[in-house]
Amino acid sequence: MNQTMMSEHHDSEHVTDQPEHNQATHEMKMDHHQMNHSKMTHSMHNMADMHDMDNMDMSDMHDMSNMNMSDMHDKSNMDMSDMDMDMGGGHMMHMGNLKQKFWVSLILMIPILIFAPIMGITMPFTVTFTGSEWLVLIAATIIFFYGGRPFFSGAKAELQQHQPAMMTLIALGTGVAYVYSVYAFIINNFTHSAHIMDFFSELATLVVIMLLGHWIEMNAIMSAGNAVEKMAQLLPGEAHVQLADGKIIDKKLADVKVDDLVVVRAGESIPADGKILSGASSVNESLVTGESKAVKKSVGASVIGGSVNGDGSLTVQVTGTGESGYLSQVMQLVKKAQQDKSRTETLADKVAGWLFYAALVFGILAFIFWTINADLATGLSRMVTVFVIACPHALGVAIPLVVARSTSIAAANGLLIQQRDAMEKAPAISHVLLDKTGTLTEGKFTVNAIENLTTDLTSDQALALMASLEQHSSHPIATGVLNAAKKAQLTIASATDVKTIKGVGLSGTIAGKTYQIVTAAYLQKQQISFDQTQYDQLAAQGNSISYLISGTQPLAILAVGDQIKPDAAQFISNLQAMNITPVMLTGDNQQTAAKVAQVLGITEFKAQLLPEDKEKVIRDYQSQGNKVMMVGDGVNDAPALVRADVGVAIGAGTDVAIDSADVVLVQSDPADVVNFLHLAKAAKRKMIENLWWGAGYNVVTIPLAAGILAPIGIVINPAVGALIMSMSTIIVAINAMTLHLKK
């Protein structure tokens, strides 16, 4: 079947200009994302600029949030002295230059290891002399206050929020180790009491290892942000701006304003979103939209900043720059996805909190038990070891690293993840509800039939009247009607007072007379008679049906056909192979919906739906315990996209798609839904694996650190605990980076 009915001409899928509808959508979305937006307020911004982590100073992070796209070319060597970043409940506050802190602490650790016993054991390379213990104290103190500062800042933030987690545990372990070691230093050097073992070596190695872990983590996260950086690099640094007198000058992209005229020469990148005023060329938009073929552009066509001009020269009037540009919106989606907190990450925070209390209980009990049954030094040693072992830094990066990696992979494959928890919800999806037009069908309509229903008008006159109304609409059906009128060389009159009738069609005044374009359902509701047989015959051929009426008088019937996307049937088959039930939702009539469903092999479909009906269908499926994904065009499907467990918008760049969907498919290819589901399953598997690597070892090591097996000679020292912890962190990072998408 070549032609299929998309939707009754003026059903919900035709309605594109609904202020009250859009307002409701924004209100729903605000409620949906309110928590996430509040958490983002102090998050890391503009990851595209972070490709040189070693030379960054994070003091200007908040100022970067309002950076225009064009500014990103001048920010490659930022100094970042402070950073406020929420990583799964472990707050890396004022991280400073991690590389510098690590190297300074590492250098200071060397004399400590040489001049002080390790784990209470004097090594063959240990050197002692008069005053060496003072050098150890000074070096350890610098490491503690300088190298350990980020962990105490993070712990303070966690405790202020009454959510002790990773940083609190690190601060607890290092703080107890330092205080106890200073106590041991005083006892050993200023009293005649028995010698007490200090933990300066353990303290130094722990801080250095933790700094190394954070450094590895930050580098991994910055690498995951490369997809955003690559998007920023699509824009040129300068633009050729044409002045009023025709003179062309080069301006920095940051200085280009809306309505400026820019000249784009052959082979150059288009500097900003705009409309072509003169010239013609083929434009390669693959890096921006994922469209592999070059798109022919001529006067009046829109172009996207970041796409590459072909062999023609274009003069473009700028319509969007900086944050208003399409590419900037795409980048914001990727960055927001990497910053937002996810549900599983919240679970990781809870686990870290449980570990904090477990460590506190085990540590105190170990201290009491060993102090009573051995001595104070042994009791403190056991307690410190428990605190060191319990430091769950790997748990803190377990989820963020996987999300950063999966978001980067998704962006490179035309999948823009707006809400991170979409990755975690997707593996549980049982039903995928699909809008028909533009998702399963091309959304490109041709007029297959127009028949007059009155002797007062000819078919051409009826088509001209409909075109007069439709020129105020941007719907694909309207485009089909206008193309048909143009092909027939009809004169299109000017229509006034044109209004959208929600879920029905259009109304307007032409030459003093009011006309409406409506659906058959509207005629039935208004009890306006029409030829049902004629309707059924045209609908059975795969057409969308609309009527031109004036008052209660039907004047003409219009049949418009759409085409099913070539790969739509394979897409449906792939979903069914994954044990996912596809459900088609459409505002079209029952006959057309049934015809499309039959061709595609869809067994469940709902027809003649308004936007609010689709949202209700979502709720009905969810009330039955199903996890639902909604796939739509992001305009009239906005309420359903918000309501679904995972909302996927076909096509990028529209405000409603950005506001309403959790995922945007840049290439408008339904097959990418399957790719997303595969990626989500792989990411969820990595998250679970990382949670076990990040916290599972604590189940065994905390009791061992408390000395539960000490009677049989099995003891874990603080340095060994630090080594186990660091290995867990490295394993988590490596495991996250092994995530790949199998298409």
Side-chain angles (χ1 to χ4, degrees):
M1 181 179 75
N2 292 328
Q3 298 293 333
T4 67
M5 262 160 103
M6 134 86 186
S7 121
E8 282 196 354
H9 179 48
H10 294 285
D11 61 9
S12 62
E13 298 177 356
H14 188 104
V15 182
T16 58
D17 184 16
Q18 300 176 27
E20 57 279 321
H21 163 69
N22 289 337
Q23 178 64 31
T25 298
H26 284 290
E27 290 174 358
M28 290 174 67
K29 202 62 195 175
M30 180 59 70
D31 179 64
H32 184 66
H33 295 317
Q34 185 176 9
M35 185 61 70
N36 282 335
H37 284 307
S38 66
K39 291 177 181 175
M40 289 169 56
T41 304
H42 298 290
S43 297
M44 178 174 62
H45 296 285
N46 293 287
M47 294 186 70
D49 304 307
M50 301 187 181
H51 58 278
D52 190 5
M53 184 66 195
D54 296 345
N55 297 321
M56 291 182 175
D57 182 349
M58 299 185 173
S59 58
D60 299 322
M61 288 305 298
H62 297 291
D63 295 333
M64 292 169 61
S65 61
N66 294 319
M67 183 187 303
N68 284 340
M69 290 277 299
S70 52
D71 298 332
M72 296 181 179
H73 300 275
D74 304 320
K75 302 288 186 179
S76 60
N77 292 311
M78 293 183 175
D79 252 3
M80 300 183 175
S81 60
D82 285 299
M83 176 178 182
D84 178 355
M85 180 177 179
D86 187 349
M87 288 291 296
H91 302 262
M92 294 183 292
M93 306 288 293
H94 311 295
M95 287 307 299
N97 192 314
L98 288 176
K99 181 180 180 180
Q100 178 178 309
K101 286 183 181 294
F102 168 74
W103 285 113
V104 169
S105 299
L106 179 64
I107 292 171
L108 291 173
M109 182 185 73
I110 295 174
I112 295 177
L113 296 180
I114 294 175
F115 300 146
I118 299 176
M119 293 182 287
I121 302 173
T122 301
M123 299 295 182
F125 55 80
T126 301
V127 177
T128 59
F129 54 87
T130 303
S132 62
E133 64 274 12
W134 284 93
L135 291 177
V136 170
L137 174 64
I138 293 171
T141 300
I142 296 174
I143 289 175
F144 178 69
F145 286 103
Y146 173 71
R149 177 173 175 257
F151 311 120
F152 284 92
S153 298
K156 179 181 178 182
E158 289 178 353
L159 293 174
Q160 286 176 340
Q161 296 177 9
H162 306 292
Q163 293 179 337
M166 272 71 69
M167 295 297 161
T168 308
L169 280 172
I170 297 169
L172 183 63
T174 55
V176 170
Y178 178 74
V179 171
Y180 174 74
S181 297
V182 171
Y183 161 74
F185 175 84
I186 295 173
I187 294 297
N188 294 335
N189 288 276
F190 297 101
T191 70
H192 299 288
S193 302
H195 186 274
I196 298 177
M197 185 184 76
D198 62 56
F199 294 98
F200 285 130
S201 297
E202 290 76 13
L203 166 66
T205 54
L206 175 59
V207 171
V208 169
I209 289 172
M210 294 305 300
L211 286 172
L212 177 61
H214 277 83
W215 187 16
I216 292 173
E217 169 199 344
M218 291 304 300
N219 282 334
I221 294 176
M222 294 310 108
S223 297
N226 282 344
V228 181
E229 180 185 345
K230 290 173 183 176
M231 290 182 187
Q233 293 172 349
L234 294 178
L235 292 176
E238 293 183 335
H240 312 304
V241 178
Q242 180 175 310
L243 303 180
D245 59 3
K247 183 179 178 181
I248 297 176
I249 62 172
D250 288 342
K251 276 188 178 183
K252 285 187 177 182
L253 194 55
D255 298 329
V256 175
K257 303 291 188 294
V258 173
D259 291 333
D260 279 355
L261 300 185
V262 296
V263 176
V264 186
R265 295 161 185 159
E268 292 184 337
S269 293
I270 296 174
D273 293 6
K275 181 175 290 187
I276 298 176
L277 296 187
S278 66
S281 184
S282 293
V283 178
N284 186 340
E285 300 178 339
S286 61
L287 294 178
V288 180
T289 67
E291 172 59 53
S292 58
K293 297 180 181 178
V295 181
K296 291 184 179 180
K297 301 283 186 177
S298 57
V299 174
S302 297
V303 292
I304 301 173
S307 53
V308 180
N309 186 24
D311 54 6
S313 180
L314 303 174
T315 300
V316 177
Q317 182 178 27
V318 175
T319 59
T321 63
E323 293 183 356
S324 66
Y326 167 79
L327 192 61
S328 178
Q329 293 179 356
V330 171
M331 290 180 61
Q332 290 297 329
L333 286 177
V334 179
K335 289 185 291 182
K336 182 180 177 183
Q338 291 175 329
Q339 293 166 358
D340 283 354
K341 225 168 161 55
S342 68
R343 180 172 300 177
T344 301
E345 193 172 356
T346 301
L347 176 60
D349 295 342
K350 291 180 180 179
V351 172
W354 297 336
L355 285 176
F356 168 75
Y357 292 114
L360 206 59
V361 171
F362 270 92
I364 293 173
L365 290 177
F367 171 74
I368 295 173
F369 177 83
W370 289 105
T371 299
I372 294 174
N373 292 278
D375 52 41
L376 178 63
T378 303
L380 285 175
S381 175
R382 296 286 182 267
M383 181 173 68
V384 171
T385 304
V386 169
F387 294 152
V388 170
I389 282 288
C391 291
H393 180 64
L395 180 64
V397 300
I399 304 303
L401 285 180
V402 174
V403 173
R405 173 68 176 169
S406 59
T407 302
S408 178
I409 292 173
N413 287 275
L415 301 167
L416 303 180
I417 313 299
Q418 182 172 2
Q419 289 300 313
R420 284 175 27 163
D421 60 0
M423 277 287 183
E424 298 152 35
K425 294 176 180 178
I429 294 297
S430 60
H431 291 71
V432 173
L433 278 59
L434 302 150
D435 171 48
K436 180 168 69 65
T437 305
T439 302
L440 297 174
T441 64
E442 295 285 1
K444 298 176 182 177
F445 295 88
T446 56
V447 174
N448 294 326
I450 182 166
E451 300 178 13
N452 59 308
L453 304 177
T454 174
T455 56
D456 295 337
L457 290 176
T458 65
S459 296
D460 282 349
Q461 289 173 330
L463 180 60
L465 289 172
M466 298 182 87
S468 296
L469 296 178
E470 292 289 15
Q471 64 185 337
H472 294 269
S473 172
S474 60
H475 191 273
I477 289 182
T479 303
V481 172
L482 290 169
N483 287 339
K486 182 178 180 181
K487 185 177 180 179
Q489 298 181 337
L490 302 178
T491 300
I492 301 176
S494 176
T496 59
D497 197 25
V498 178
K499 297 178 181 178
T500 296
I501 307 173
K502 184 177 179 181
V504 174
L506 298 171
S507 70
T509 302
I510 304 172
K513 190 173 183 179
T514 300
Y515 296 91
Q516 292 177 311
I517 302 176
V518 299
T519 63
Y522 177 84
L523 296 182
Q524 292 172 338
K525 185 177 180 180
Q526 299 298 318
Q527 297 182 340
I528 299 175
S529 61
F530 63 96
D531 188 337
Q532 185 69 49
T533 302
Q534 181 188 39
Y535 172 87
D536 292 340
Q537 288 176 344
L538 291 172
Q541 297 170 12
N543 293 305
S544 294
I545 309 299
S546 298
Y547 288 88
L548 175 68
I549 67 172
S550 179
T552 59
Q553 175 66 43
L555 302 177
I557 182 173
L558 175 75
V560 182
D562 190 9
Q563 291 185 338
I564 293 178
K565 290 185 176 181
D567 54 356
Q570 183 61 50
F571 163 58
I572 296 300
S573 178
N574 289 338
L575 287 179
Q576 292 168 338
M578 298 172 69
N579 293 321
I580 295 174
T581 302
V583 182
M584 185 178 72
L585 306 182
T586 179
D588 214 335
N589 58 73
Q590 187 74 20
Q591 295 96 319
T592 298
K595 193 76 173 179
V596 174
Q598 179 185 1
V599 172
L600 295 178
I602 296 175
T603 57
E604 295 185 33
F605 63 90
K606 310 285 184 181
Q608 294 180 306
L609 300 175
L610 297 175
E612 55 267 31
D613 295 331
K614 294 181 181 180
E615 191 266 347
K616 183 178 182 300
V617 171
I618 297 286
R619 283 190 282 114
D620 290 342
Y621 273 94
Q622 290 174 330
S623 66
Q624 298 169 16
N626 299 304
K627 296 297 182 182
V628 177
M629 172 187 287
M630 174 65 192
V631 183
D633 61 14
V635 181
N636 66 294
D637 299 310
L641 288 170
V642 175
R643 175 64 62 185
D645 296 286
V646 178
V648 178
I650 293 286
T654 65
D655 289 339
V656 179
I658 291 173
D659 287 344
S660 305
D662 300 309
V663 182
V664 177
L665 307 184
V666 176
Q667 300 180 41
S668 299
D669 185 356
D672 283 337
V673 172
V674 177
N675 290 334
F676 167 71
L677 290 170
H678 285 311
L679 178 61
K681 286 186 176 181
K684 187 65 175 291
R685 184 168 60 250
K686 289 293 182 184
M687 290 177 188
I688 300 301
E689 290 172 359
N690 274 5
L691 284 176
W692 277 108
W693 280 115
Y697 77 96
N698 286 280
V699 176
V700 176
T701 54
I702 286 180
L704 290 178
I708 194 170
L709 296 182
I712 61 174
I714 299 178
V715 177
I716 296 182
N717 290 291
V720 176
L723 179 62
I724 294 174
M725 174 276 305
S726 63
M727 287 300 297
S728 178
T729 301
I730 293 171
I731 290 172
V732 161
I734 293 174
N735 190 45
M737 292 302 107
T738 59
L739 176 65
H740 296 286
L741 171 61
K742 294 182 181 180
K743 293 188 177 181

